[in-house]
Amino acid sequence: MSSSQPSFDAFVAARGSALLRHAYVLTGDRHLAEDLVQEVLTHLYRRWDKVAATTSPEAYVKTSVTRQFLSWRRRRSYAERPTDAVPEPRAAQGDSSDTSAGDDAVWRQLATLPHRQRAILALRFYDDQSDAQIAEILGISASAVRAHASRGITTLREQLAGTDVSGAMS
Amino acid sequence: MTHDLDDAIRASLRRNAEAAPTIVDLDGVRDRASAIRRRRLLDTTLAVAATVVVALGVGVLVRGISSNQTLPPPVNPPTATAWPAALPWIAYTNFDANAQPSGATRIQLRINGTDRTVRTPPGSGPVTVLGWYGPDHRTLVWGEGQPPFTTQLLSTVTVSADGSTLSPVAPLRLRGQALTPGRAFVGADGALRLWMPDTLGSAASPASVITINDSLDGASTPWRVGPGGAVFATATAIGRVTGDSQLYVSRSPSDTVGTRVPVCGSLRAVSVSPDAGVLAVGCSNAHAELIDLATLKRTRIPDIPEVTDPGFLLGLWWSPDGRLHATTNPGTATALTTDAWTLSGGAWAPSTTPGVVTRFFTTGAPTVRLERLPTDGVAADNSGRLIVETDPPVDLGPAGSSVAVRPTG
């Protein structure tokens, strides 16, 4: 590894919280986000030299996190058990005005979307990735990205009908 | 509306992202990576060994045919009756692929040298045995699913004192306050209590479904009942085995919250002394401490040998004579080797305490080995270290993953 490449420890120290935020908007769950990031970093730890030599190690890791999220949910879903007592989603830090109430409505409905749709919306609206970039990350076509995004937004619009979301944009 | 919704999604994601966790468990990443490396090394070693065995077998067969010799009769594998009766009761999971409609997990009990089977309901999914609890440690508790699931259905079966009779399988019933240092513990009233981080200190409803935010894993220690029947200490590291280690000590049945004690990092093992006066803790960085359970004063003791990467700590044990023992794995090519140490004269020395069951662990193959120190106290190799002998392996089957050994101390 050349001196210009980040060491594993330095990378995690500098970008760990960003990775966790990325994982959190994908999963909607703090603990799953921690597990997801740890699983991916464990996998990449042993071949960090190659990761560090890429153009953007962070982009590489985020892509791994996203792909692991999609495959991980498939593998783990068989074992999840329903419970009658569904905990309320953790409220975001911030005020408790109507603005955040509308905001949380969007967040809650995002959690109900199929995970691929949620991942695409997260990449588009949180990471500001283009459809072409999302397609490359997910290994699908750009038209498929647009189709998934459209279905996700349509679902959200239907579910949020009657909810004032305009105030959530502050 | 379209742009309003786009903007609302963007705002929602960014606002809620601020509630994300902020710290990556770097020690946990390294530990897991090391474990994977060791496992792959072991798998490779076993694959090579199997290839050699097959090659030798073919060679013998060819020679036998060519010389028209009679092959020796096959050697039968060890049977259940070969299991030493003196070993503690153990429970482990197995998967019956032939059960209809889609297989079923069974729980195997090996009690006094006899195998018994507890069948779980069809479709109940993977099962993890959690431990032996209740009066005299005769109640086995298991959960459906494997960590880090957030919900587990907990069930129990109780074995008669002589080991001959099993009760019907029943859902776990909680009485009193929710308190679970670790997987579970029993109060002086005989009630089993569970620790639920989400509802720490609040009442638990008597239900069979437990919702937790952390895996039911990590280091834990059985309770100790002191004079007068009081619970002196229970302790557990709640967390994802390698991270977020939290040590809670509960020193009486009425202490339903426990006292959080800072520890040295990634907690690996905890053990309460026979007189319930001292708690020993060991961490993945080899750091070890003794905690006075009366004052919660922490005293550092010498680092445990061989624990740092690639080695790792397996467990801590107090023997009835009040001496502290540790078991470690050197993390080298011989993953089946476990070294035992005893704290003596202010330093860890190769252990010579006989007959103490030290640890079970799964190997790379679907087997588990139950280990104990040689009863004759003689070192098993010439390295100057005591190598723990292994008893006949237990076949866990392809889906086996968990084992619970009944405490004997």
Side-chain angles (χ1 to χ4, degrees):
Chain A
M1 184 165 34
S2 74
S3 59
S4 63
Q5 294 170 356
S7 72
F8 183 80
D9 288 10
F11 173 80
V12 173
R15 304 306 304 160
S17 58
L19 292 175
L20 287 166
R21 285 196 297 273
H22 177 74
Y24 183 52
V25 299
L26 288 174
T27 63
D29 181 290
R30 290 167 56 87
H31 297 285
L32 290 178
E34 289 175 328
D35 288 349
L36 183 58
V37 169
Q38 187 175 66
E39 190 164 331
V40 169
L41 289 177
T42 299
H43 182 64
L44 298 180
Y45 176 73
R46 291 174 296 110
R47 51 189 182 91
W48 183 250
D49 287 354
K50 293 180 180 176
V51 177
T54 60
T55 308
S56 171
E58 182 172 354
Y60 188 97
V61 177
K62 280 189 173 179
T63 297
S64 298
V65 168
T66 306
R67 291 181 177 179
Q68 185 71 5
F69 165 68
L70 295 176
S71 68
W72 193 46
R73 292 297 292 253
R74 282 196 296 272
R75 282 191 283 115
R76 293 194 171 197
S77 59
Y78 78 98
E80 292 173 354
R81 299 273 178 249
T83 175
D84 290 333
V86 179
E88 285 298 314
R90 182 182 296 271
Q93 303 292 325
D95 62 42
S96 56
S97 64
D98 290 339
T99 295
S100 62
D103 214 3
D104 281 346
V106 175
W107 177 254
R108 284 195 294 272
Q109 294 306 326
L110 277 168
T112 66
L113 294 178
H115 50 273
R116 185 176 291 275
Q117 292 177 18
R118 181 186 172 108
I120 288 173
L121 294 184
L123 290 167
R124 175 187 283 185
F125 293 117
Y126 181 72
D127 282 348
D128 290 329
Q129 304 277 0
S130 68
D131 289 348
Q133 290 170 319
I134 296 172
E136 188 173 348
I137 290 171
L138 301 184
I140 59 178
S141 67
S143 60
V145 170
R146 285 190 287 275
H148 281 297
S150 175
R151 278 197 290 271
I153 291 173
T154 300
T155 303
L156 283 178
R157 184 180 296 116
E158 292 169 357
Q159 291 173 331
L160 292 169
T163 302
D164 179 16
V165 298
S166 60
M169 295 176 292
S170 58
Chain B
M1 174 65 182
T2 298
H3 290 299
D4 283 351
L5 184 55
D6 289 356
D7 291 340
I9 296 171
R10 182 175 288 108
S12 175
L13 289 170
R14 292 185 174 170
R15 182 187 299 266
N16 282 282
E18 296 306 313
T22 56
I23 298 175
V24 174
D25 177 14
L26 199 51
D27 283 343
V29 170
R30 290 198 196 93
D31 287 348
R32 288 180 62 179
S34 296
I36 291 170
R37 188 170 63 242
R38 282 192 292 272
R39 172 109 181 209
R40 288 183 176 173
L41 180 62
L42 177 63
D43 288 346
T44 303
T45 305
L46 291 174
V48 170
T51 304
V52 170
V53 167
V54 169
L56 290 175
V58 170
V60 169
L61 183 61
V62 170
R63 281 202 306 277
I65 292 173
S66 62
S67 61
N68 204 24
Q69 293 176 343
T70 302
L71 292 174
V75 176
N76 291 324
T79 61
T81 55
W83 187 269
L87 287 178
W89 300 356
I90 66 170
Y92 57 99
T93 56
N94 204 342
F95 185 75
D96 179 5
N98 295 320
Q100 298 299 325
S102 56
T105 301
R106 300 177 307 186
I107 298 172
Q108 297 293 126
L109 306 179
R110 182 161 285 182
I111 300 172
N112 300 337
T114 301
D115 282 328
R116 296 174 172 277
T117 300
V118 176
R119 299 187 187 282
T120 59
S124 58
V127 168
T128 302
V129 291
L130 300 178
W132 294 89
Y133 303 107
D136 201 26
H137 299 277
R138 288 189 287 107
T139 298
L140 177 71
V141 179
W142 67 87
E144 293 177 16
Q146 296 161 325
F149 297 163
T150 55
T151 302
Q152 286 198 320
L153 177 64
L154 300 178
S155 302
T156 67
V157 67
T158 299
V159 183
S160 62
D162 63 0
S164 64
T165 308
L166 303 185
S167 73
V169 172
L172 177 65
R173 297 293 180 187
L174 296 175
R175 288 188 287 163
Q177 295 291 99
L179 175 60
T180 306
R183 297 169 174 174
F185 83 101
V186 178
D189 59 357
L192 183 70
R193 292 178 169 85
L194 295 181
W195 183 288
M196 294 185 289
D198 268 1
T199 57
L200 197 64
S202 60
S205 59
S208 56
V209 176
I210 307 297
T211 301
I212 57 173
N213 266 347
D214 258 318
S215 74
L216 283 172
D217 210 336
S220 62
T221 186
W223 47 279
R224 292 276 180 195
V225 177
V231 174
F232 270 111
T234 57
T236 294
I238 300 175
R240 288 179 179 75
V241 181
T242 54
D244 301 334
S245 290
Q246 299 176 33
L247 177 68
Y248 286 89
V249 175
S250 170
R251 292 172 287 177
S252 75
S254 60
D255 180 7
T256 57
V257 177
T259 302
R260 182 172 181 179
V261 180
V263 289
C264 37
S266 294
L267 202 53
R268 286 295 194 189
V270 288
S271 183
V272 180
S273 66
D275 63 359
V278 180
L279 179 73
V281 300
C283 292
S284 59
N285 58 1
H287 187 124
E289 292 181 0
L290 300 180
I291 300 174
D292 186 316
L293 289 172
T295 63
L296 298 185
K297 181 184 177 185
R298 300 160 62 196
T299 302
R300 186 165 179 179
I301 58 178
D303 286 358
I304 303 168
E306 280 192 343
V307 168
T308 51
D309 191 46
F312 50 94
L313 175 64
L314 290 173
L316 287 170
W317 277 266
W318 294 88
S319 51
D321 61 5
R323 291 194 296 170
L324 182 62
H325 310 275
T327 47
T328 62
N329 185 305
T332 53
T334 53
L336 294 179
T337 299
T338 298
D339 296 337
W341 310 85
T342 297
L343 187 61
S344 176
W348 292 97
S351 181
T352 57
T353 300
V356 177
V357 174
T358 53
R359 171 77 182 186
F360 61 87
F361 69 101
T362 54
T363 68
T367 58
V368 63
R369 289 181 185 276
L370 190 64
E371 308 159 345
R372 58 179 177 174
L373 302 179
T375 53
D376 59 5
V378 176
D381 75 348
N382 297 320
S383 68
R385 297 184 314 214
L386 189 67
I387 306 300
V388 175
E389 69 178 7
T390 57
D391 287 296
V394 174
D395 183 3
L396 290 179
S401 62
S402 63
V403 180
V405 181
R406 181 188 181 214
T408 56

